[in-house]
Amino acid sequence: MRAFAYARPTSLEEALDVLKRPGALPLAGGTDLTTLLKDEVIEPEMLVSLADVADLRGVEHRGSVVHIGAMTPLAELIESADELGLDAVTQAAREIRAPQMLSVGTVGGELCQRPRCWYFRSGFGLLAMQGGRSMVPEGDNRYHAILGSGPAYFVNPSSLAPALSALGARVVVASTQGERRVLIEDLYQVPLREDQSEFSLADGELVVAVEVPTPDGPSGAVSSSYEVRPRTTLDWPLATASVAVTTDSANVVTRAKVVLGHVAPRPWVDLGAGEALVGRELDASAAAGAGAAAASGAKPLSKNAYKVRLAQVATKRAVLKLAAREETA
Amino acid sequence: MADYSWPAPGTHQTLGRRLSRLDGPVKATGAAKYSYDKALPGMLHGKMLTCPHAHARIVALDVSGARSMPGVRAVRVIQDVGSEIQWAHDEIVAVAAVSEDIARDALRAVRVEYEVLEHYVIEEDPNGTFEKKEPQERSQGDPDAGFASATTVVERELAIPQIAHMCLEAHGQVAEWQGDEVTVWASTQGVSTLPQQFVDGGLETKAANVRIRCDYMGGGFGAKFSPDRWGIVGAQLAKDAGAPVKMFLDRDQEVAVAGSRPSTFAKIRAGATADGKLVAWESETWGSGGRPGTGAVPVPYVFNVPNQRKKHTSVPTHLQSSRAWRAPNHPQACFLTMATLDDVAAELAMDPLDFVLANLELTGRFEATYREQLEIAAERTGWRERWRPRTEFDDGPLQRGLGLSLHTWGGRGHQSRCDVAVNPDGSVEARIGTQDLGTGTRTVIAMVLAETFGLEIDQVTVRMGDSRFPQSGPSGGSSTVGGVTGSTRRAAMDALREVFTRVAPMLEAEPETLVARGGRIEVDGDSTRSMTWQEAASRIGAVAVTVGGRNPGRGKLNDSGVGGVQIADVTVDIETGVTRVNKLLAIQDCGLVVNEKLAESQIYSGLIMGVGYALFEELIADPHSGRLLNADMEFYRLAGIGDVGTLEAVLMQGPEHQERGVIGLGEPPVISPGAALSNAVANAIGHRVPRLPMTPERVLETLMAAEAAEALEEKA
Amino acid sequence: MGTASESSSDSGDVTVVGPHDRAEVELSVNGVRRLAEVEPRVTLLDLLRDHLDVTGPKKVCDRGTCGACTVLENGRLVYACSRLAVEAGGAEITTVEGLGTPDSMHPLQAAFVEHDAQQCGFCTPGFVMALSHLLEKQPNPDDDEIDRALSGNLCRCGTYQGLRDVAHSGVKVVSTGQASGDGIGGRRG
C-alpha cells in the first residue's frame, strides 16, 4: 500500500476536526479498509483512527430507540441485539461468521464498507466504465445487481443495512457542523458518475451511531433475516432478505417492511413484498405471497437471473421464520 | 546377490502403524521455518511489476524512478520494450529493496507504456481463438455400428473450468550468494532437479554452484516443479545487490501466473443396449490450459467402450500456462465419463450401481478390484436401501441424492537415491534429496529405517530438503512414496547386512541368520544369541557404515496401478441451489500402506480438494480486460470446514495388497469427487448440472431451464 | 504509542504520524515486551514477521479471508494481515508460538499432531489459534459451533477431518491470551 499519515484522536470533536483535512478517511476495524489500501483502490492521505474516540462504542436504550455506537464490534452487537429483540440484525450479523471479522469489524465499518464488485476491486471504478460504457452488462455479472436501472451495477455489500432498514433504523451522522439523522437506506445513493460516491455523506461527515426504534405496540415488531450463501465458511451472500412486521392480536400483519440485500446498489426496500404481507395472517401462505411479490421489476443481467429467484426465496424464508416464531410463541 | 523386499505380511514392526508425522510438533507450534519464513541478515525484499493487460506489447519502459528511490538496491528488467505479453500478470520488472513497502513504492515509479492487443480468454466458444489448432482424432472399433446397435443414446454437453492450485505458501524463494555459490531456499517440489533448471533458465552460474534447500513447504499440488522466472530473477537481484533477496508472489500473482488446471468442454454421445451394455462413445472435446492450449483428456475414462470416435481441439487463450494439477487430466476425464454414464443409466431407468456392474468387464485390469470396492461402498452407504431413481422426490425443498464414480492411477515410485549411515554410536540417518509437501515423506522414510533396523522411529534421523543430498526425483504423480521408500529400504538393508557381517562372528553365527528386531540384533530363532543395537553398532569400527541405495532396483518394493471407488451423498436445496455434502466415501486400493494415519489424511485431502472443484472452484476471466476477476481467496472459493461433510476413507489392506509393495496415494482420491458429487446432485434434483463447479447459480439455472422445457412441452 | 520521528506534525491537539515517519509500537508478543518503529502502513502481520521474526502467523491471502495470520490481540481473535501495527500498540499479542514449543507442546497442539490435523501445515498456526479461542470458551463444542469458530480459516491440503476430531477431542484450553496485561505465566495452559 501507499504511505499515508495516521492520526489517533481521543475525542469525537478532535476526530471530526482532523477528518476535515483533504484525503482523510476514518479507520474503524479496518478489515475492509486495509484490503482497499493494499489493492490501491483508495489512496487516502491520512487515516484517522477511531479506536480511542470516547463514546462511540456500546449498545443501549435511549428513550424510544436502541442506540448503537458506530465503533461497537459486531460480536458485541450480536450479544446485545439478541437481548434487545432485534432479531433481524442479530441473524444478519451472525451470518458474517468468521470470529476474526466479528471481533474487530464494527457496526459503522460494516455499514460503510465498499462494494465487493470485482470490477471495482480491480481498479475499474464503481461504475466500471470503459469507453463510455459499463463493463458489467457484457462482462461477468453473476454477482451483480438485478434491481435498479444502472448505471451502477455493484451491489451494496452490507449485511446489517437491510436488517436495520427493515426495523426503520437511522444513522447518526456527525461533522463539525453538527449532527443529522438519516434513514439507513438513505445513507446510500446510486452514483451516476464515476466521481460520485455510493454514500450520501458529505466530506468530513462521519457515521457515529445507529438508532433503531424500540419495538413498540403490544405485540411489538418482530423481525428476521435470511441469507443465501454458497459456503458455510466466510463468504458473501448471493441475496438476503430482512423482514419486520407488526401483527395484531389475531396474528394479522398490520405493518410490514421487507428489505433485500445484495441485489441492488442500495439496500432494496421492497414495497411490493411488504404490501403483500399487510392484512395477511402470518403463515406459510403469506410467506409464499411475499416471496412471489418480491423483486418485482427486476431486470437481471446476462448471468444473474438466478438472483431474482434467490431474492424471492430469501423473502419467503425470512417470513417463514417469523411465522414459525409466532407458532412457538 | 542380495535380495530386496519388504518383511513378509504379518511380520512388520513399524510399517502400517498409525504413527504421527514427525514434523507435526514443529508445524503445530509455528516453529517450522518454511522458505517463506526465512530471514537472513541484511535480507532484501523482492517484488515484481506485472502487466495489467492480457495481451500487449511493451512500447516504452523507464525504470529510472525505481532505481533512484532510496532503499532500492537492485532493479532488473524482465521483459523489455518490444516484448509481447501473452497473459495478464506476466512479469515485467523486478526490484529488491530494504522493505516490501519500498519495493512496491519503487514498482509504482516504473513507467511502462503498452500497446494493448486483442485478447481471447473465454474458451467456451472455441471459434474465437487467435490460433486455430488442428483437432486430434482417434477412433476404435466401429462407432457407427455401435450407435446403430444402441437402443439408448444420451447426448450431453459438459464442462469443467480452469481452476487454481492455490498453494497456501505462495511460490517464491530466498536467494543468498557466497562468492560464486548461491543457496536458494525455495518452496519447491523438486530440490534435486532445480539446480540445473536455474542454469537452464538463465542464471549465470554452474548447476554445481546452486544449492536448493526446502525444509518445509506450504503445498505444491503440481505447481512447484520449476524455479520459474521469479526464481531466476530473485537470484539475479541478490547477486546484483550483494545481499540475500526474498521474493515471494503476492496472492493475485500466485493465482494468475503460478498454477492452473486446464479446462475441458465436451459434447458427448454414449450408446447402450437395452440390457445396459455400453456399446458406443463419441466425444468432441476442447479446452484450454492458457497460452499453450491443452491436450486431450483420456475419455472414456476407466470404461473402454468398444466403439469410440473422439476429437479433441486444443484452444490457446491469453491466460497463464497450466501446470500439473494433482492427477493431471484424470478428474476432468472422470467427470465427463462418469456423468455421461450416470445419465445413460438414468435413461435406461437402471440403478447406476447395476449399470456400472453390468459394464465392469470394460474396466480391464482392475475389474476384480472395482467389484470388491463397489460391494464395500454399497454396503457402507446403504446404497441398495437408500438409492432411489431421479424421478422420485422428497416433500419440501431439500432433496437428497447418491452418486458414484470410479477412478484409476499409476503411482509408481520415481528415481531416487538415498544414503543411509549407521554411526558407531548406534545413530542411524538417511540423507535424501527429496522434499515433504505435507504428504508425510519425512515420516515414511523414517519408518522404513525403523522397520529395517528394528528401531523405534525416534531413534532414526532423516535429512532431506537439500540438493546436496543424493538426488531424488521431483514429487509429483504419486511417485514419491514409492521412490523414497525403495531407495531407503535398499540402502538400509545393505547397511544392515554390513553390520551383520561385522558382528556375526561375535554371535558365532552366519550373517544371513541374523535379524534386527526390537532394538536388538539376534540369531533368527535363537534369541539367546543377541546383542543390543548400540552394542552392535559400536563394533563396526571408527567409521560409519554408509551405503547408497536407489530406486528402481532389484527386488519388488513398489508397484503401479490402482483402482478406487467413491460415493457421494448430498442434500440440495432446490429453491436456493445450495448443495451440502452429507458424506463422501472413498474406497482406495494402494498396495502396502506405510502409515495408515498419513494414508488416510491423503485420502481426506483428495476428497476435500474434490469438494472444492466440484462445488466452488473456478477461475473467472473477464472478457473485457482479459484479467482474472477472482485472483484472490474471496471469490476463488476453497471449501471450508463446514462445507465438506463427513469423510470416510477405506484403505484396501491385507497380504495380497502388501505383497504389491508401495504405491503412491496422492492423486487417486482427488479424481472421483467431481463425478461422484455431480452424479449425487443429478440424483437429488432429477437433472444434470452440466458444468462444474455446481454453484447455487448453476443448480438453479439447471432447474429453471428444466422448468422452462417442461412448460414448453405442456404447451405443445 | 509514541512517535519516533521529529517531523510529526500537530493538527490541533491531535498528533499526526507522517506517511514516512516511524511510529514507535510497543507490544507484548507471547509475554515478551517488543518494541518496533514502523510506518503507519505496516500491518501487524508484517510487524510480527518482518520486524520481530515471529513467523508462526503466515501471510497467505493477505486480505482477511484465509485466516493463516490469525493471532489473539488482547484476547480477541484477529486477522493480523488486516490490522495496522499502529492500531495494535500496547496490545497483548499471542501467536501460535505462545502456546507451546515442539518440546513442550500445548495440549491443543499435541492434539493437532495426534489427529493429524495438518499436512503442509501452512494453515495450521491460524487454525490452532481459532480453535484455542473456541475451546477456551466452549470445551465441548457441537459441529455448528466448530463450523462457525473455524469459518474464518481455510485449509488447502484438506485437514478438516482431523480438525474436527481435534475440536471434539475434549482437549482443555485454559487462558491462551488475556484481555488485560497480567498473567503471562498462564499461557502454557
Side-chain angles (χ1 to χ4, degrees):
Chain A
M1 49 186 119
R2 287 170 191 264
F4 48 81
Y6 174 80
R8 193 156 168 173
T10 53
S11 73
L12 182 58
E13 199 186 358
E14 283 175 358
L16 294 172
D17 198 47
V18 192
L19 278 168
K20 281 196 305 191
R21 290 168 59 150
L25 280 182
L27 169 64
T31 53
D32 185 31
L33 197 62
T34 49
T35 298
L36 292 160
L37 291 167
K38 289 176 191 179
D39 288 338
E40 299 182 12
V41 174
I42 57 168
E43 289 163 4
E45 302 285 325
M46 180 195 289
L47 294 190
V48 180
S49 170
L50 303 179
D52 292 344
V53 176
D55 304 326
L56 284 185
R57 181 167 170 171
V59 182
E60 60 181 17
H61 270 288
R62 285 192 191 169
S64 62
V65 298
V66 176
H67 179 97
I68 305 168
M71 285 296 284
T72 307
L74 294 167
E76 208 172 300
L77 172 73
I78 289 169
E79 283 167 30
S80 323
D82 214 11
E83 288 162 26
L84 297 168
L86 309 177
D87 293 356
V89 178
T90 315
Q91 291 163 8
R94 270 174 63 80
E95 287 311 286
I96 295 169
R97 293 192 174 230
Q100 297 94 326
M101 282 284 172
L102 299 176
S103 63
V104 173
T106 63
V107 172
E110 207 281 337
L111 292 172
C112 295
Q113 64 184 310
R114 308 296 307 275
R116 310 307 300 194
C117 165
W118 44 33
Y119 290 99
F120 172 61
R121 298 274 167 169
S122 299
F124 293 110
L126 271 176
L127 302 185
M129 288 293 184
Q130 274 210 328
R133 285 171 63 192
S134 167
M135 299 164 78
V136 178
E138 288 164 31
D140 202 307
N141 49 44
R142 69 185 74 185
Y143 303 129
H144 284 81
I146 51 169
L147 287 156
S149 47
Y153 296 102
F154 63 83
V155 296
N156 180 285
S158 172
S159 291
L160 296 185
L164 289 165
S165 170
L167 287 161
R170 288 167 197 273
V171 286
V172 182
V173 177
S175 70
T176 50
Q177 309 297 305
E179 271 187 9
R180 64 183 179 106
R181 283 169 172 69
V182 53
L183 277 174
I184 284 276
E185 52 267 39
D186 295 331
L187 171 63
Y188 307 99
Q189 63 184 14
V190 180
L192 301 175
R193 295 193 318 264
E194 199 53 78
D195 61 350
Q196 290 178 331
S197 161
E198 74 274 30
F199 298 102
S200 61
L201 298 171
D203 284 347
E205 280 193 322
L206 178 71
V207 171
V208 293
V210 177
E211 290 178 348
V212 195
T214 311
D216 56 355
S219 64
V222 292
S223 65
S224 71
S225 293
Y226 190 91
E227 120 174 11
V228 182
R229 57 191 294 131
R231 292 178 299 180
T232 64
T233 196
L234 180 65
D235 209 344
W236 294 100
L238 298 170
T240 73
S242 294
V243 180
V245 302
T246 310
T247 52
D248 64 14
S249 54
N251 197 27
V252 170
V253 175
T254 53
R255 278 187 295 157
K257 190 172 180 187
V258 176
V259 187
L260 306 178
H262 285 85
V263 293
R266 300 167 63 187
W268 188 262
V269 180
D270 200 308
L271 299 174
E275 278 164 20
L277 283 171
V278 174
R280 300 283 303 268
E281 196 180 328
L282 199 55
D283 59 11
S285 152
S296 90
K299 289 191 204 110
L301 300 164
S302 57
K303 289 178 185 286
N304 66 6
Y306 75 97
K307 286 185 76 169
V308 178
R309 191 164 286 206
L310 288 184
Q312 294 177 331
V313 172
T315 302
K316 178 177 83 173
R317 292 191 179 181
V319 179
L320 277 175
K321 278 165 87 171
L322 292 180
R325 174 194 158 118
E326 292 296 310
E327 271 166 31
T328 54
Chain B
M1 288 286 267
D3 186 29
Y4 301 94
S5 63
W6 297 112
T11 67
H12 297 168
Q13 304 181 71
T14 306
L15 293 179
R17 283 171 62 189
R18 300 184 64 83
L19 297 178
S20 294
R21 67 180 67 229
L22 284 176
D23 46 7
V26 286
K27 287 179 173 176
T29 56
K33 288 284 182 189
Y34 292 75
S35 298
Y36 203 158
D37 299 330
K38 195 81 196 159
L40 297 171
M43 187 176 76
L44 303 172
H45 295 263
K47 282 290 155 200
M48 292 180 296
L49 181 72
T50 67
C51 179
H53 308 292
H55 189 201
R57 187 173 292 110
I58 302 175
V59 295
L61 180 64
D62 178 5
V63 298
S64 58
R67 280 196 203 283
S68 61
M69 191 172 283
V72 173
R73 296 294 155 77
V75 178
R76 279 254 174 176
V77 173
I78 301 172
Q79 298 191 80
D80 212 333
V81 172
S83 298
E84 186 176 335
I85 308 302
Q86 301 280 0
W87 54 82
H89 273 299
D90 201 17
E91 304 84 19
I92 311 293
V93 172
V95 303
V98 294
S99 77
E100 222 179 285
D101 282 326
I102 292 176
R104 288 181 207 283
D105 289 343
L107 293 177
R108 241 179 262 117
V110 172
R111 297 283 160 256
V112 196
E113 267 178 56
Y114 297 98
E115 178 194 351
V116 178
L117 306 170
E118 233 179 286
H119 65 255
Y120 167 81
V121 293
I122 309 286
E123 72 273 32
E124 189 170 343
D125 171 15
N127 296 318
T129 188
F130 49 91
E131 189 179 301
K132 290 256 197 283
K133 301 261 191 184
E134 274 305 300
Q136 304 163 262
E137 296 186 36
R138 294 179 74 170
S139 62
Q140 75 173 36
D142 185 339
D144 293 328
F147 278 107
S149 71
T151 53
T152 296
V153 175
V154 161
E155 291 190 41
R156 282 289 173 274
E157 292 192 18
L158 301 169
I160 180 165
Q162 295 187 45
I163 63 169
H165 291 72
M166 200 60 87
C167 309
L168 292 199
E169 183 182 28
H171 282 67
Q173 70 294 313
V174 175
E176 181 185 40
W177 290 85
Q178 278 171 327
D180 292 336
E181 304 205 343
V182 62
T183 301
V184 179
W185 286 266
S187 182
T188 180
Q189 293 176 240
V191 291
S192 290
T193 38
L194 241 51
Q196 183 61 46
Q197 290 188 60
F198 262 95
V199 175
D200 294 344
L203 188 64
E204 303 84 352
T205 188
K206 297 184 289 191
N209 287 345
V210 181
R211 180 180 186 184
I212 307 297
R213 301 283 309 273
C214 178
D215 294 332
Y216 306 100
M217 71 170 298
F221 315 113
K224 290 180 177 168
F225 289 123
S226 153
D228 289 306
R229 200 184 253 155
W230 46 84
I232 312 288
V233 81
Q236 289 170 333
L237 288 170
K239 181 122 197 179
D240 295 348
V245 170
K246 179 181 202 165
M247 170 90 86
F248 278 82
L249 299 188
D250 291 338
R251 183 52 44 181
D252 56 347
Q253 296 172 335
E254 176 71 19
V255 179
V257 303
S260 68
R261 182 176 88 177
S263 62
T264 310
F265 293 75
K267 291 179 183 170
I268 299 170
R269 287 173 74 214
T273 55
D275 57 349
K277 297 281 186 192
L278 273 166
V279 289
W281 171 278
E282 185 175 58
S283 57
E284 187 184 339
T285 56
W286 69 95
S288 186
R291 188 61 186 80
T294 191
V297 300
V299 285
Y301 187 63
V302 171
F303 294 88
N304 187 16
V305 182
N307 306 296
Q308 303 179 15
R309 181 186 294 127
K310 298 178 289 191
K311 183 170 147 185
H312 175 81
T313 311
S314 166
V315 183
T317 45
H318 289 111
L319 292 166
Q320 64 176 310
S321 302
S322 65
R323 299 175 182 223
W325 195 101
R326 214 169 169 180
N329 288 338
H330 282 234
Q332 299 98 313
C334 185
F335 164 64
L336 299 180
T337 305
M338 301 302 160
T340 304
L341 266 49
D342 192 67
D343 287 351
V344 173
E347 195 67 28
L348 287 162
M350 273 179 87
D351 178 336
L353 177 58
D354 290 329
F355 182 74
V356 162
L357 288 168
N359 289 286
L360 216 52
E361 64 196 37
L362 299 179
T363 62
R365 179 180 165 196
F366 299 112
E367 182 182 344
T369 305
Y370 288 133
R371 194 175 300 282
E372 187 185 348
Q373 292 176 333
L374 285 164
E375 209 167 283
I376 299 169
E379 197 190 310
R380 292 233 178 192
T381 50
W383 181 284
R384 291 298 183 190
E385 300 76 47
R386 294 183 44 227
W387 182 84
R388 54 160 192 203
R390 283 185 197 177
T391 46
E392 290 175 19
F393 296 96
D394 294 320
D395 293 334
L398 299 182
Q399 301 296 331
R400 203 153 173 169
L402 292 174
L404 71 85
S405 173
L406 287 67
H407 59 258
T408 184
W409 187 256
R412 184 179 296 284
H414 58 29
Q415 292 199 356
S416 173
R417 285 171 180 252
C418 175
D419 279 355
V420 169
V422 176
N423 295 305
D425 69 350
S427 60
V428 171
E429 68 183 283
R431 288 187 291 269
I432 179 166
T434 187
Q435 51 282 319
D436 192 335
L437 278 57
T439 52
T441 305
R442 186 180 269 108
T443 310
V444 299
I445 293 169
M447 288 177 74
V448 170
L449 292 178
E451 175 73 45
T452 308
F453 294 105
L455 300 171
E456 288 301 316
I457 190 171
D458 55 7
Q459 293 176 279
V460 302
T461 302
V462 178
R463 299 194 194 284
M464 55 184 285
D466 190 334
S467 61
R468 295 274 162 97
F469 294 145
Q471 297 209 336
S472 202
S475 292
S478 298
S479 62
T480 306
V481 66
V484 301
T485 56
S487 61
T488 305
R489 174 71 174 172
R490 290 187 179 95
M493 286 183 77
D494 282 348
L496 184 63
R497 285 190 188 109
E498 182 63 34
V499 174
F500 284 166
T501 303
R502 301 201 193 175
V503 303
M506 290 161 232
L507 292 169
E508 296 171 351
E510 291 303 313
E512 304 80 62
T513 65
L514 298 183
V515 291
R517 187 183 290 154
R520 301 184 72 82
I521 285 180
E522 62 190 38
V523 178
D524 200 11
D526 179 5
S527 59
T528 61
R529 280 192 288 161
S530 73
M531 61 173 69
T532 65
W533 171 255
Q534 252 66 28
E535 192 185 345
S538 70
R539 306 294 180 91
I540 62 177
V543 178
V545 169
T546 302
V547 181
R550 60 167 66 186
N551 189 68
R554 283 199 313 277
K556 182 170 173 142
L557 295 179
N558 49 58
D559 201 357
S560 175
V562 294
V565 164
Q566 293 184 6
I567 287 182
D569 173 347
V570 303
T571 297
V572 184
D573 184 331
I574 55 170
E575 291 183 352
T576 62
V578 173
T579 299
R580 296 283 176 238
V581 182
N582 301 315
K583 183 173 174 177
L584 256 182
L585 166 70
I587 319 289
Q588 189 59 51
D589 154 36
C590 60
L592 170 64
V593 175
V594 180
N595 181 321
E596 202 176 60
K597 178 153 53 175
L598 301 187
E600 285 173 3
S601 285
Q602 281 287 71
I603 294 184
Y604 296 142
S605 160
L607 295 177
I608 289 167
M609 285 183 92
V611 171
Y613 75 75
L615 297 184
F616 307 117
E617 293 182 41
E618 172 177 22
L619 286 169
I620 300 170
D622 176 39
H624 286 288
S625 63
R627 279 152 68 171
L628 290 177
L629 293 168
N630 63 342
D632 52 41
M633 295 183 74
E634 182 175 327
F635 289 107
Y636 188 93
R637 296 183 166 93
L638 299 182
I641 188 168
D643 301 311
V644 300
T646 302
L647 309 173
E648 196 178 330
V650 179
L651 297 161
M652 307 279 282
Q653 295 202 70
E656 73 276 22
H657 295 284
Q658 293 183 358
E659 277 158 8
R660 294 186 68 192
V662 178
I663 308 173
L665 187 55
E667 332 292 297
V670 85
I671 298 169
S672 268
L677 285 161
S678 175
N679 290 343
V681 168
N683 184 239
I685 70 172
H687 303 279
R688 172 70 51 191
V689 179
R691 188 185 279 213
L692 299 185
M694 295 176 287
T695 55
E697 61 263 33
R698 296 246 164 78
V699 172
L700 282 185
E701 278 161 9
T702 302
L703 289 168
M704 284 155 71
E707 283 166 24
E710 272 165 36
L712 208 66
E713 226 165 77
E714 269 170 37
K715 228 168 138 189
Chain C
M1 187 205 74
T3 58
S5 164
E6 309 225 331
S7 65
S8 298
S9 63
D10 284 349
S11 178
D13 294 335
V14 183
T15 306
V16 174
V17 185
H20 292 290
D21 293 344
R22 291 173 184 272
E24 208 169 79
V25 177
E26 192 183 351
L27 293 165
S28 160
V29 180
N30 300 322
V32 179
R33 287 276 158 219
R34 303 292 296 265
L35 201 63
E37 292 178 359
V38 294
E39 288 181 359
R41 61 175 160 171
V42 173
T43 63
L44 174 59
L45 180 63
D46 285 346
L47 171 70
L48 290 169
R49 290 180 54 84
D50 293 345
H51 296 253
L52 305 179
D53 199 27
V54 177
T55 56
K58 302 290 186 246
K59 188 186 267 197
V60 176
C61 77
D62 202 27
R63 296 292 188 280
T65 308
C66 75
C69 65
T70 300
V71 301
L72 288 171
E73 178 188 338
N74 293 334
R76 301 183 305 176
L77 210 58
V78 306
Y79 289 135
C81 77
S82 300
R83 296 282 290 155
L84 294 179
V86 285
E87 287 281 278
E92 297 268 344
I93 304 294
T94 307
T95 72
V96 68
E97 290 100 328
L99 268 63
T101 62
D103 295 330
S104 172
M105 281 188 284
H106 185 284
L108 175 62
Q109 292 166 321
F112 267 70
V113 177
E114 168 63 26
H115 295 281
D116 207 35
Q118 48 187 354
Q119 281 208 303
C120 85
F122 219 67
C123 69
T124 306
F127 274 106
V128 169
M129 298 317 291
L131 254 186
S132 77
H133 191 248
L134 168 70
L135 296 176
E136 187 176 344
K137 292 180 298 183
Q138 172 53 279
N140 298 300
D142 62 27
D143 280 329
D144 182 57
E145 288 170 316
I146 294 166
D147 292 351
R148 283 181 182 274
L150 301 183
S151 65
N153 294 72
L154 290 168
C155 166
R156 181 43 155 173
C157 299
T159 59
Y160 297 135
Q161 188 87 353
L163 284 162
R164 196 174 292 284
D165 292 344
V166 171
H168 283 308
S169 69
V171 58
K172 295 271 186 299
V173 177
V174 186
S175 192
T176 46
Q178 286 154 2
S180 59
D182 59 347
I184 284 157
R187 293 284 167 84
R188 291 291 154 87

